[in-house]
Amino acid sequence: QSYELLKIADVVSIFTQSTKSHETKTQSFNIDRLKFDIIQDDIHSIIKKLPKGFKPDFFWDAQAAHGHVHPRGLKEEAFPSVAGICHVHYGAAVKTVGELFDFVLPVGECFSEGLSYQSSEVLNLPFGLNWASFDIDSKKLDKTRDIDVSLTFSQTEDPAYGNLRNEVIELIEKIKQKNPNLKISTNSGLEKKQYFEILKRSKISLNVVGVNGPYNYRTCEIINSGALLFQIN
């Protein structure tokens, strides 16, 4: 976590291990980062370690099927538990999550039916929003927008995009040929600094989300950079 969570929301994040670099980052605000032992602790003992006066309304795991360790006794607690499932292809893990948590949020609505046979209630919310990076400070944006349209992704055979990325790339190349006066930037594989620089200079930026819609990282990064988002699902 790069933000002091209790300064912006009533959130305490729990974790099972830390590295030296992580410990250095969180020394100044350990109150909202709580380490627990997977052998010694269950959810009841974890709750006892929470900051004074903090009573959880719910337990949230944003990417529950990605090898995360869930506290023992979670199912017995009075407050609800919510699991985001973005790695839907991890079949056995997803099945377990569907039995353990009260609510599950699949990465895209098209997966809802496949998760509805478990005991968890499926919520169709824009779950992918929680992945997003909001590192760009909108107050420091350069007002110069010298790129009319930017495209920052590459062609892919990934079935999650249903060939939509490739179709958009082909279309934008045709538009470039027909409209030489438009400044259209098509780049992929950029370093992070270059990527954000392109977005900050763009009037319009394109995105494809496919079955993982309605949001992905690029959705929020384009909006946060001040460009107008054109997106295909």
Side-chain angles (χ1 to χ4, degrees):
Q1 300 292 348
S2 56
Y3 291 99
E4 301 171 6
L5 295 173
L6 284 174
K7 286 187 176 181
I8 57 174
D10 296 327
V11 176
V12 172
S13 177
I14 65 173
F15 64 105
T16 56
Q17 61 183 353
S18 62
T19 62
K20 288 184 179 179
S21 61
H22 176 78
E23 286 171 351
T24 302
K25 283 182 181 179
T26 57
Q27 280 176 354
S28 62
F29 50 94
N30 286 332
I31 188 171
D32 59 6
R33 290 284 288 160
L34 194 158
K35 182 179 179 181
F36 73 96
D37 187 291
I38 61 174
I39 304 299
Q40 301 297 327
D41 289 314
D42 59 12
I43 191 66
H44 186 65
S45 65
I46 291 170
I47 290 172
K48 289 183 178 180
K49 298 178 183 180
L50 292 171
K52 186 177 181 180
F54 189 99
K55 295 181 179 180
D57 294 314
F58 60 88
F59 176 91
W60 166 277
D61 189 330
Q63 298 192 30
H66 196 212
H68 286 193
V69 175
H70 306 119
R72 292 181 291 109
L74 188 60
K75 191 73 174 176
E76 285 72 48
E77 277 303 318
F79 52 82
S81 56
V82 186
I85 304 179
C86 59
H87 298 85
V88 184
H89 54 287
Y90 292 163
V94 171
K95 184 176 186 297
T96 301
V97 167
E99 295 170 347
L100 176 63
F101 284 79
D102 298 308
F103 300 94
V104 294
L105 286 76
V107 64
E109 191 172 346
C110 67
F111 297 112
S112 297
E113 185 178 351
L115 295 173
S116 62
Y117 63 90
Q118 299 294 338
S119 59
S120 301
E121 181 178 342
V122 179
L123 303 178
N124 291 315
L125 297 175
F127 157 63
L129 186 63
N130 85 78
W131 299 351
S133 167
F134 291 94
D135 289 340
I136 299 176
D137 186 347
S138 59
K139 294 178 182 177
K140 297 179 180 179
L141 291 177
D142 185 352
K143 303 302 181 185
T144 303
R145 299 274 172 177
D146 61 338
I147 298 174
D148 293 306
V149 182
S150 65
L151 183 152
T152 57
F153 51 84
S154 61
Q155 290 188 329
T156 179
E157 300 304 318
D158 188 336
Y161 294 102
N163 204 45
L164 291 174
R165 272 192 173 188
N166 301 341
E167 291 178 14
V168 170
I169 290 172
E170 289 176 11
L171 285 169
I172 203 69
E173 289 299 330
K174 291 179 181 178
I175 292 172
K176 284 175 72 173
Q177 292 174 13
K178 291 182 178 180
N179 300 274
N181 293 330
L182 282 178
K183 184 165 183 180
I184 299 177
S185 170
T186 54
N187 295 282
S188 62
L190 297 168
E191 294 292 329
K192 184 176 181 180
K193 184 177 180 180
Q194 294 174 310
Y195 166 67
F196 283 127
E197 182 63 29
I198 291 289
L199 294 186
K200 290 176 183 178
R201 291 169 53 199
S202 300
K203 297 174 184 175
I204 296 171
S205 194
L206 308 179
N207 188 33
V208 174
V209 291
V211 297
N212 291 333
Y215 302 114
N216 62 10
Y217 288 116
R218 188 176 280 103
T219 305
C220 301
E221 288 160 355
I222 290 172
I223 294 171
N224 206 47
S225 70
L228 177 62
L229 169 70
F230 280 11
Q231 177 169 286
I232 184 168
N233 293 331

